Amino acid sequence: MLTDKLKNYNILLGSQSSRRKQFLRDLRIPFTTVSIDVDEDYPKYLHGNEITSYLAELKADAYENTLEDNDILITADTLVRVSGKVLGKPKNAEEAKEMLNLLSEKQHEAISSICLKTKSKKTIISDTTTVHFKKLTDEEIDFYIDNYKPFDKAGAYGIQEWLGYVAVEKIEGSFYNVMGFPIHKFYKEMMKL
């Protein structure tokens, strides 16, 4: 349905995430991937979706002077928050292991924001999903890190992968938001165009 609505627009995805690319393909939205290189630091006084909204907007603003009249730029950011601590993407296996140990036998929040930017307008969409993990063994954590290399994922895991199959006991909210794209809210916003 969005294909006809967006036929006069040039959709730019400012993300290298294979999951976000697949979501747009599944919605049958033609798009071009653009590379955005920004320093993802944020003010320490921000919390929760303020962080992801700030970073999604920061990525979009990197294209401030390059957008054409019919362009729609999509940028996004995701984080995991557990026990008041913010988890981004792990830098290495050791950091991934620390993150997964933090998530073990606890509930955490997966928070994602999307920024939709045109030459004249900017809209930010955010969503939060609560995820409950079972207790993870060291063997499960090591197996997952060794076989799935979750270094491109906030919180060091993908809910759609092996660890999601065995660790997630319950979720409250959008499954796709945990994957980094609150697609139901994105669709609703795009249908307003």
Side-chain angles (χ1 to χ4, degrees), residues 41-181:
D41 283 335
Y42 58 87
K44 297 306 172 203
Y45 60 82
L46 297 179
H47 299 283
N49 72 340
E50 293 173 340
I51 298 169
T52 54
S53 296
Y54 176 89
L55 292 173
E57 187 173 6
L58 185 70
K59 293 171 187 177
D61 288 347
Y63 276 82
E64 188 71 41
N65 300 316
T66 61
L67 293 178
E68 301 293 332
D69 289 338
N70 65 335
D71 288 345
I72 300 175
L73 175 65
I74 303 164
T75 58
D77 195 76
T78 300
L79 64 79
V80 167
R81 184 172 61 190
V82 60
S83 305
K85 186 170 183 172
V86 172
L87 307 180
K89 298 171 186 170
K91 294 179 181 72
N92 52 45
E94 183 180 320
E95 199 169 281
K97 189 167 186 163
E98 286 173 21
M99 288 183 182
L100 293 174
N101 274 310
L102 271 175
L103 298 177
S104 178
E105 209 173 9
K106 292 188 187 90
Q107 74 178 39
H108 63 272
E109 293 176 318
I111 304 166
S112 295
S113 294
I114 298 171
C115 182
L116 304 173
K117 184 175 176 64
T118 66
K119 208 167 181 177
S120 61
K121 186 178 175 189
K122 190 182 331 181
T123 303
I124 296 177
I125 308 159
S126 294
D127 201 17
T128 300
T129 303
T130 302
V131 182
H132 299 256
F133 261 28
K134 77 170 190 82
K135 181 169 177 54
L136 298 170
T137 66
D138 287 340
E139 291 79 16
E140 288 168 332
I141 290 172
D142 290 340
F143 174 83
Y144 179 66
I145 293 169
D146 291 345
N147 289 281
Y148 290 87
K149 315 281 189 247
F151 309 119
D152 65 336
K153 296 173 178 69
Y157 82 96
I159 194 169
Q160 73 281 9
E161 295 176 339
W162 181 86
L163 194 76
Y165 302 158
V166 303
V168 176
E169 294 180 329
K170 178 171 81 169
I171 69 168
E172 299 164 53
S174 168
F175 175 84
Y176 299 107
N177 184 58
V178 184
M179 291 175 67
F181 206 75

